[in-house]
Amino acid sequence: MLCLHGFPDIWSIWSRMITHLPKDRLYVMPDQRGYHRSDKPKELCDYAPKILLEDIRQLIVTNSPGGKVVLAGHDWGGVIASWFAAIYPEHVSHLILINAVHPVTLQMALLADRDQRAASAYMPALISGALEADWLKDPTSNPFKNWYREAQADGRMGSVEAALYEAAWSDNDRWRAAIDWYRASPFDLAAGPEMPSWIHERDWTIRAPTLLIWGEADTVFTANTRDSLATYFAQLSVTRLPGIGHNPLRDDPVSVAKAIHTFLDQGNQHV
């Protein structure tokens, strides 16, 4: 099971949930390109989706003798996991998305859904560097640092993991590398009727059995964006977590693990 974190998380976001899953499976939880201890190339082109997808493919062929995995992703990790499952179906036995959406549904929502555009208003601010400029002037204004410090304060993150996060985001180049995912992505953030050309380049249907775990109090992706996912999945199951926000891995790891175990145990399938 290959587990892909989102922004601004690191590999450890999966660690608490994994303890509630069966021990007879290999769980691979990398820091993705640009994050924590992974390489942070300087060129923007090194964060393009095709490069991120190749990172995933290499992780799979290195760690899975059969060249196939259960692929799981949260937030950005789930978007890129969906992208991968659409392009490399031969490498994905099952797909698990945790408060994450298909790249095409996100693009369509960014152009056509006013609520999703409002929820994603942080994206152009990240891309432009405006948020980073504010952080340099006043480090206490960094909302992402404040988020994980709050998670430690209310018990959702232990002191050891909090130290990992402090180390992961200890200098501005690490923020630059992670934000370059947004800068290098093909998502069009300008409202308009025309869809970008990349949407029409392939069939984006994902045929692997897919589980969507959804914290219903999500403020990053709207319910409309979530509900439009069904168009792009041949086999989609949904587990909803009432009162849980965008990060169920942090807020309710036991429920997430239970949903994953039930999903993978259906028909006694084990890959």
Side-chain angles (χ1 to χ4, degrees):
M1 182 169 166
L2 176 59
C3 305
L4 305 177
H5 66 78
F7 177 87
D9 285 302
I10 60 176
W11 70 269
S12 63
I13 186 66
W14 298 94
S15 57
R16 187 178 298 183
M17 186 277 292
I18 291 297
T19 64
H20 299 286
L21 287 177
K23 303 300 187 290
D24 59 347
R25 189 187 301 274
L26 173 65
Y27 301 97
V28 179
M29 301 169 282
D31 284 321
Q32 296 210 71
R33 174 181 294 250
Y35 286 80
H36 199 201
R37 295 184 176 180
S38 287
D39 288 347
K40 299 163 184 62
K42 297 293 186 182
E43 298 299 323
L44 191 60
C45 62
D46 288 323
Y47 299 89
K50 67 178 182 179
I51 302 297
L52 304 177
L53 296 176
E54 180 60 16
D55 286 345
I56 297 170
R57 196 186 71 82
Q58 290 292 340
L59 281 166
I60 291 173
V61 298
T62 300
N63 290 283
S64 178
K68 186 172 277 195
V69 296
V70 175
L71 186 60
H74 168 250
D75 184 74
W76 242 125
V79 174
I80 204 70
S82 296
W83 211 312
F84 185 89
I87 294 177
Y88 296 107
E90 68 275 16
H91 289 307
V92 181
S93 67
H94 297 72
L95 179 64
I96 298 167
L97 305 178
I98 303 169
N99 282 79
V101 296
H102 190 290
V104 175
T105 62
L106 178 57
Q107 178 61 86
M108 294 175 67
L110 287 170
L111 293 182
D113 188 318
R114 180 180 302 176
D115 291 337
Q116 185 59 64
R117 288 203 303 274
S120 300
Y122 67 93
M123 291 175 63
L126 283 175
I127 292 168
S128 69
L131 281 176
E132 289 174 276
D134 289 341
W135 303 340
L136 288 174
K137 294 176 184 176
D138 177 14
T140 64
S141 70
N142 186 322
F144 303 109
K145 276 195 171 185
N146 291 338
W147 168 80
Y148 65 75
R149 287 169 179 165
E150 290 171 3
Q152 182 185 14
D154 63 21
R156 289 177 296 129
M157 181 186 291
S159 59
V160 173
E161 189 178 13
L164 286 177
Y165 272 75
E166 286 289 349
W169 304 116
S170 61
D171 63 71
N172 291 323
D173 189 57
R174 299 185 182 200
W175 287 108
R176 185 275 312 165
I179 293 170
D180 276 351
W181 279 53
Y182 292 89
R183 296 186 176 115
S185 82
F187 292 116
D188 186 346
L189 304 180
E194 299 298 325
M195 292 294 137
S197 59
W198 63 268
I199 285 182
H200 306 294
E201 291 175 354
R202 66 177 61 253
D203 177 6
W204 288 97
T205 304
I206 294 173
R207 292 175 173 80
T210 301
L211 171 65
L212 173 65
I213 300 173
W214 195 268
E216 293 197 303
D218 195 345
T219 58
V220 175
F221 298 124
T222 68
N224 285 339
T225 303
R226 175 201 66 205
D227 292 343
S228 65
L229 286 174
T231 303
Y232 294 96
F233 293 87
Q235 304 177 69
L236 181 64
S237 303
V238 181
T239 297
R240 301 189 183 194
L241 303 178
I244 301 299
H246 179 65
N247 205 328
L249 287 164
R250 182 82 59 207
D251 298 344
D252 195 354
V254 174
S255 292
V256 172
K258 181 179 178 181
I260 290 174
H261 180 60
T262 300
F263 172 66
L264 295 179
D265 197 46
Q266 289 173 350
N268 296 315
Q269 297 178 21
H270 193 95
V271 295

